[in-house]
Amino acid sequence: MEEEVEKMRKEKRIVVAVDESEESMYALSWCLTNLVSDANKTKSTLILLYVKPPPPLYNSLDAAGYLFANDAVGAMEKYGWDLVNSVMARAEAVYKDFSSIMSVEKKVGTGDAKDVICGAVEKLGADILVMGSHEYGFFKRALLGSVSDHCAKHVKCPVVVVKRPRD
């Protein structure tokens, strides 16, 4: 029993929310440099979490299936998976030099990003959540909401929001 508790203390589960943006790749790089290192004696599991937007819904205006025919829906689904593969490939290029000192898991969720991220962090038993900041202005944040702000208020683990330095 004590060995199991000791093992749990030594293993850190870090969830990094990734998307198509440079900000998320910078956050991943920051995480690797600052939270995962050879000097750190704690074994780390890096969990890359990508959230796809929800699939389009049919509505009463599309009763005959004209707006979203099967091939259009299929094409959108294929595009979504192509995007997932592209983001994960970019992330792999960032973490490849660190892969010998940690294990990596890739997770994909579908839905509203803030809800999916909060749910995944709890379900995965994350010790820390790392996110990039898009640094939206007041109006854009008021219209779109801030995913990182929502997650910081609703998850039970520490949240690190990484801002990309201005060029």
Side-chain angles (χ1 to χ4, degrees):
M1 177 82 166
E2 286 181 33
E3 287 178 28
E4 216 171 287
V5 172
E6 191 64 29
K7 180 183 175 191
M8 286 172 44
R9 283 189 195 139
K10 288 186 178 181
E11 186 172 332
K12 186 174 10 175
R13 295 181 61 78
I14 304 168
V15 173
V16 180
V18 293
D19 61 17
E20 304 79 28
S21 70
E22 289 298 318
E23 290 84 1
S24 77
M25 291 302 138
Y26 180 79
L28 173 59
S29 177
W30 181 92
C31 171
L32 295 168
T33 304
N34 293 283
L35 299 178
V36 179
S37 68
D38 285 324
N40 189 350
K41 301 293 185 234
T42 306
K43 181 180 176 350
S44 297
T45 299
L46 180 69
I47 303 167
L48 301 174
L49 176 63
Y50 180 83
V51 182
K52 292 179 11 178
L57 298 174
Y58 296 101
N59 62 32
S60 59
L61 297 175
D62 192 26
Y66 292 115
L67 296 177
F68 293 108
N70 282 342
D71 39 331
V73 172
M76 286 189 286
E77 186 66 23
K78 182 187 179 315
Y79 174 76
W81 281 109
D82 289 347
L83 202 53
V84 169
N85 293 331
S86 171
V87 169
M88 291 301 183
R90 287 180 57 212
E92 191 171 340
V94 173
Y95 75 73
K96 71 179 178 189
D97 294 337
F98 290 85
S99 60
S100 64
I101 60 172
M102 65 180 182
S103 59
V104 178
E105 296 176 16
K106 298 175 184 177
K107 303 289 183 186
V108 178
T110 302
D112 185 20
K114 59 186 174 225
D115 296 329
V116 173
I117 293 170
C118 289
V121 164
E122 186 171 336
K123 182 179 176 184
L124 295 167
D127 294 305
I128 190 164
L129 170 63
V130 178
M131 308 177 76
S133 172
H134 291 282
E135 297 188 50
Y136 291 143
F138 174 76
F139 292 109
K140 214 172 196 182
R141 193 171 44 251
L143 289 172
L144 298 175
S146 171
V147 174
S148 58
D149 185 51
H150 178 86
C151 291
K153 290 178 182 174
H154 292 91
V155 299
K156 295 177 182 166
C157 67
V159 178
V160 177
V161 180
V162 180
K163 288 186 178 183
R164 201 171 113 191
R166 296 182 191 263
D167 295 332

